Amino acid sequence: MRYEAKTEEDAVAGAARALGRPASELKYTVIRDEKAFWGGRVVEIEVEESGSRAPEAGSREREAETTEPPLAAAPASAPALEVDAVAAVEATLTELLSAAGLLVETRRREVNGDEMLFELFGDDVEPLLADKGEGLTGLEVLVGRIASKRVGRPVHPRLDADGFRAHRKEALEELAHTSADEVRRTRRPQLLPPLAPWERRLVHLALAEDPELETESEGDGFLKRVEVRFKAH
């Protein structure tokens, strides 16, 4: 069995807790000791098994008796394509985090059409949230691109951690209103920094009811800029 942590000692301690045995009794091999892409370190150990318990007599028969019938096909609300997309995103996210040496776990929070939200938590979440979530946004873009290629259609995963999206929402709404005030003061359009689709949507919504101003996304690709300007008369 394999266990990961930031140090060899932590990995051994985690294995001891999981197996319910003293750390001094464990026999293990360090199979990975790498530096993470975002700094830090990840160590993986493989613990030798002390022997497995032989199956109880008649266990095969009991399994046969309690075998449940095959599950029915997924309902129409969860088409196969959607299930495949979620699985592709989960697998891609896990692979990238592992390759980066980040000790981060994921939990799926919701799926709505082709958009899905995953919560990230763990010791190495903080580096992803630095510089206004630049690492989190970059990971989100990369996961979406790789997963889209795997399933053969666009998928739009969204990643969140430590309430980042809620804080980012407040910051973007404030930026939208500040930009609107600047447009009125200078009588000139304001161009916001490149934003992800969900961020641009928040800006558009923040100024949607403004009687004088309008917003429009500009540029190509995943990240686009939003222009705030007076409505044409």
Side-chain angles (χ1 to χ4, degrees), residues 25-230:
E25 294 182 4
L26 298 182
K27 294 182 179 181
Y28 65 91
T29 303
V30 177
I31 59 176
R32 183 160 61 108
D33 187 346
E34 301 174 346
K35 289 184 178 179
F37 291 174
W38 280 279
R41 178 181 170 213
V42 59
V43 177
E44 184 176 8
I45 64 171
E46 185 168 23
V47 179
E48 298 179 13
E49 297 186 16
S50 58
S52 55
R53 186 177 60 183
E56 298 178 5
S59 61
R60 188 182 298 263
E61 289 74 13
R62 283 199 296 273
E63 287 180 10
E65 292 172 0
T66 58
T67 300
E68 297 180 0
L71 294 175
S77 60
L81 279 177
E82 180 177 296
V83 174
D84 290 345
V86 172
V89 169
E90 289 180 324
T92 302
L93 186 54
T94 299
E95 290 168 9
L96 291 176
L97 290 170
S98 178
L102 293 175
L103 299 178
V104 176
E105 297 182 46
T106 64
R107 180 188 299 121
R108 191 173 74 225
R109 277 171 41 184
E110 63 184 51
V111 177
N112 183 16
D114 62 351
E115 191 174 73
M116 55 203 78
L117 179 60
F118 291 85
E119 179 79 19
L120 275 60
F121 57 97
D123 294 341
D124 291 336
V125 160
E126 189 173 345
L128 294 173
L129 302 180
D131 297 323
K132 299 179 180 179
E134 189 174 283
L136 190 69
T137 299
L139 180 62
E140 182 177 275
V141 174
L142 188 57
V143 169
R145 288 178 177 173
I146 294 175
S148 295
K149 289 183 179 180
R150 288 180 171 179
V151 300
R153 68 182 182 89
V155 294
H156 306 288
R158 293 185 297 148
L159 308 181
D160 195 10
D162 287 348
F164 168 78
R165 284 186 172 272
H167 296 306
R168 185 64 173 151
K169 179 176 183 292
E170 294 177 1
L172 286 169
E173 289 174 345
E174 182 178 350
L175 175 62
H177 291 299
T178 300
S179 299
D181 293 340
E182 190 67 10
V183 170
R184 292 190 176 93
R185 188 184 71 81
T186 64
R187 314 300 293 182
R188 294 179 179 178
Q190 294 291 309
L191 199 59
L192 304 188
L195 301 172
W198 73 273
E199 295 176 313
R200 296 196 301 272
R201 180 173 180 273
L202 291 175
V203 173
H204 294 314
L205 289 175
L207 300 178
E209 302 299 323
D210 193 297
E212 298 180 306
L213 306 180
E214 63 182 4
T215 58
E216 183 178 2
S217 296
E218 296 187 353
D220 299 317
F222 184 83
L223 298 176
K224 298 180 182 179
R225 306 183 75 175
V226 176
E227 183 180 65
V228 183
R229 66 194 179 207
F230 279 105

